[in-house]
Amino acid sequence: MKRRAGAREKEVKKRKLLEELGETWLPYLTPKDAEFHQVWKTKYSKLLLKKADNIPKELHHVVQEAFVTLQKHDCFFQDLVRIKGKDFFTPVSRILIGNPGYTYKYLNTRLFTVPWPMDDFEIKYCHPELFTACKALIKLNDYLNIEAVQALQEQNLFETKETDTAVTDREQDFAFIKGKGSLLEDQSTLHTPRNSCTSLKYRTSYNLTLLNYMDPLQMPYLKQEPYFGMGNMAVSWHHDENLVERSTVAVYNYSCEGSASDKVNEQDMEGRDPADWHVGLKVAWDIKTPGLAIPLHPGDCYFMLDDLNMTHQHCVLAGLQPRFSSTHRVAECSTGTLEYIFGQCEVALQNLQADSDSAALSLKSLEVQVVKEVEGIHNETSLVLCEVGKDERTREQRNEIISCFLPLLTERQELRKEWAASHKPLRNQMPVPACTEFARRAKAKVPSLLER
């Protein structure tokens, strides 16, 4: 399957990169390095940082209260994910909040949204505080949407200018750390019509947010960053998955304030301060461009604009204090909403009919396109085999029909094997699912049908 091929390709690239490195570390930069801002400006210009002081205080208050409320009501959970064929619980605890009926998939795990308040939806919350928390997060979502659209518009504007222009107040708002330079200058194009407001809004219309929480001091083990020697990682290097192409990701950071004793004397330290949380950036599979470790302070936001998520990778480097974040995304949900799923079930059921006398079920059509569609939805496979086995079917007809649905049946069985392996403790207490047993029998029956 494409997903597995992609994972294998990434693993090959990672091994090759580590072999090239040997025992050495790649260089990376922090704000105390003289070339930090220049490298950010030329190689990472589509990463924007909006400092907490430039965000409304009232918004900080309600969002941070929402984090605490969700934690108080035990809403954060570690996810069971599959990496390289093995199952792990994520070190970070998460909850997905967003448009009603939407889903988000990462590392072979699909999450369903806890809905935030929206017009035309009657949503009941089990506690008034949860309503208030979700309301605060959609307020943050609206704010980040406006900021992202304006940032992309300004970036497009800079691309049209052949000479340097004065830095405006708005551009200073999106300044480098310590206010040095503008992040809005970019030497690459966005490949978007400059006047296409519809396109910009489409790529910044966040439909959900994945909230994260982790207390590093409560973790028995954190993976070490493997390429640069950046220290403890809360989230490994990755591209965000399941997103609309070239869409912006916006992240609100809230790490609890640490004590003065947590801080390390920067004069005596190389690299990043391990007491602070950072976002790490690197050009994907590149060993020549230095990486960046950008400190994140409570209330800071950062934006990954346009194709940055495709051309670069990012990680989250742990500090010492507990941290919340809200990561707002334009999830690709054309086939991932409850509405879509229900619609597909209706389509599949349209090919099903019941005998008026015996109530026996049968299929209305065995046209190849219909079979492909129905089997893609996974509905009533046994009826397909019964129909194919009827004597009035010619060998050519059987071959054509079976050839179209056998790959789907094989893939379905492989997915069930993966699911069973990831739920092994439960599986030992349960009978073999009837659908899995049927898949084995169906595959065994196919050769005899082809021979007839």
Side-chain angles (χ1 to χ4, degrees):
M1 297 189 312
K2 291 182 179 180
R3 184 181 64 198
R4 293 173 184 163
R8 286 194 296 268
E9 182 181 354
K10 290 179 182 178
E11 185 59 25
V12 170
K13 287 182 178 179
K14 181 178 178 180
R15 284 201 304 268
K16 183 178 179 181
L17 183 56
L18 290 173
E19 287 172 1
E20 290 183 30
L21 287 178
E23 299 297 322
T24 63
W25 294 116
L26 290 173
Y28 77 96
L29 305 172
T30 67
K32 65 183 181 182
D33 294 306
E35 61 270 45
F36 173 79
H37 296 101
Q38 182 61 27
V39 171
W40 188 346
K41 180 178 178 178
T42 57
K43 301 297 184 179
Y44 299 91
S45 62
K46 293 179 182 178
L47 188 284
L48 272 60
L49 176 73
K50 188 174 180 68
K51 294 182 283 188
D53 291 344
N54 295 317
I55 297 172
K57 291 182 178 179
E58 189 272 337
L59 185 60
H60 285 307
H61 175 73
V62 297
V63 170
Q64 293 169 15
E65 281 291 319
F67 291 149
V68 174
T69 296
L70 292 169
Q71 185 187 34
K72 182 180 74 173
H73 286 274
D74 297 322
C75 294
F76 290 93
F77 296 93
Q78 291 175 279
D79 292 328
L80 180 65
V81 298
R82 170 154 285 211
I83 304 173
K84 302 176 191 176
K86 297 182 180 179
D87 299 298
F88 302 90
F89 281 105
T90 57
V92 176
S93 298
R94 297 185 166 102
I95 179 176
L96 188 70
I97 297 178
N99 290 358
Y102 275 52
T103 69
Y104 181 71
K105 187 175 182 181
Y106 79 104
L107 296 178
N108 299 325
T109 296
R110 185 173 295 281
L111 306 179
F112 289 77
T113 57
V114 172
W116 48 29
M118 292 187 71
D119 295 338
D120 301 326
F121 287 91
E122 183 180 351
I123 302 168
K124 296 181 180 180
Y125 297 88
C126 62
H127 196 287
E129 290 182 350
L130 296 178
F131 165 76
T132 302
C134 291
K135 184 178 180 180
L137 289 166
I138 197 171
K139 183 176 182 179
L140 173 63
N141 195 69
D142 294 341
Y143 173 81
L144 295 175
N145 166 246
I146 294 171
E147 294 295 306
V149 169
Q150 292 182 357
L152 286 171
Q153 288 174 335
E154 291 177 4
Q155 193 172 55
N156 282 345
L157 180 62
F158 270 85
E159 290 175 1
T160 65
K161 296 183 178 181
E162 297 179 355
T163 58
D164 294 336
T165 58
V167 178
T168 65
D169 291 340
R170 170 70 186 174
E171 290 149 14
Q172 291 173 345
D173 194 18
F174 278 108
F176 285 127
I177 294 176
K178 299 182 181 178
K180 297 180 180 179
S182 167
L183 286 178
L184 300 179
E185 296 178 82
D186 191 0
Q187 296 182 352
S188 61
T189 63
L190 283 173
H191 303 292
T192 303
R194 291 186 171 85
N195 296 322
S196 177
C197 293
T198 302
S199 176
L200 293 182
K201 289 180 180 178
Y202 176 66
R203 294 186 291 126
T204 57
S205 295
Y206 307 121
N207 46 31
L208 50 80
T209 177
L210 185 62
L211 274 66
N212 307 285
Y213 172 77
M214 194 181 83
D215 183 351
L217 298 183
Q218 299 301 314
M219 302 303 298
Y221 169 78
L222 286 176
K223 187 176 180 181
Q224 296 295 297
E225 194 285 313
Y227 305 119
F228 302 90
M230 293 178 173
N232 290 337
M233 293 192 300
V235 181
S236 300
W237 291 107
H238 67 288
H239 305 277
D240 285 338
E241 303 177 65
N242 194 207
L243 303 179
V244 167
E245 187 176 2
R246 305 179 81 90
S247 61
T248 293
V249 177
V251 180
Y252 180 94
N253 171 78
Y254 177 49
S255 49
C256 303
E257 295 283 2
S259 65
S261 61
D262 293 333
K263 301 298 291 182
V264 177
N265 188 339
E266 293 192 11
Q267 301 296 327
D268 303 327
M269 178 188 63
E270 292 186 5
R272 77 176 185 98
D273 185 345
D276 290 337
W277 286 81
H278 293 67
V279 58
L281 273 294
K282 71 182 182 73
V283 180
W285 315 115
D286 181 325
I287 63 173
K288 296 181 180 179
T289 305
L292 295 185
I294 302 173
L296 298 174
H297 302 294
D300 285 350
C301 288
Y302 61 90
F303 297 79
M304 295 186 288
L305 297 177
D306 189 49
D307 62 351
L308 182 75
N309 183 57
M310 301 163 60
T311 59
H312 294 60
Q313 292 174 305
H314 60 283
C315 69
V316 180
L317 303 164
L320 296 180
Q321 301 303 318
R323 174 191 182 251
F324 296 92
S325 68
S326 183
T327 63
H328 297 249
R329 306 152 191 258
V330 189
E332 207 300 297
C333 285
S334 60
T335 60
T337 65
L338 286 177
E339 182 179 1
Y340 171 84
I341 294 169
F342 289 149
Q344 289 293 86
C345 291
E346 289 295 330
V347 170
L349 290 173
Q350 288 174 8
N351 194 43
L352 192 65
Q353 63 185 0
D355 185 90
S356 57
D357 297 325
S358 65
L361 297 176
S362 62
L363 300 178
K364 296 178 182 178
S365 172
L366 272 182
E367 294 181 10
V368 171
Q369 189 57 40
V370 174
V371 171
K372 282 184 177 180
E373 183 175 33
V374 173
E375 285 304 305
I377 299 169
H378 178 34
N379 180 73
E380 302 297 340
T381 306
S382 59
L383 293 180
V384 175
L385 289 174
C386 289
E387 292 289 341
V388 172
K390 290 182 178 179
D391 291 337
E392 60 265 27
R393 303 290 175 188
T394 66
R395 181 173 182 176
E396 289 72 19
Q397 289 174 328
R398 292 192 187 99
N399 287 346
E400 184 178 26
I401 296 169
I402 290 173
S403 296
C404 84
F405 83 81
L406 184 57
L408 296 166
L409 192 63
T410 302
E411 179 180 355
R412 189 178 307 149
Q413 187 177 16
E414 291 301 316
L415 291 172
R416 288 188 183 121
K417 287 180 180 178
E418 284 189 16
W419 184 91
S422 65
H423 295 75
K424 190 174 182 179
L426 291 175
R427 187 187 61 174
N428 291 337
Q429 305 171 28
M430 298 168 61
V432 176
C435 53
T436 304
E437 179 62 25
F438 170 74
R440 288 199 292 264
R441 293 180 182 178
K443 290 183 69 177
K445 186 177 181 180
V446 164
S448 64
L449 291 174
L450 291 174
E451 292 170 1
R452 292 171 57 182

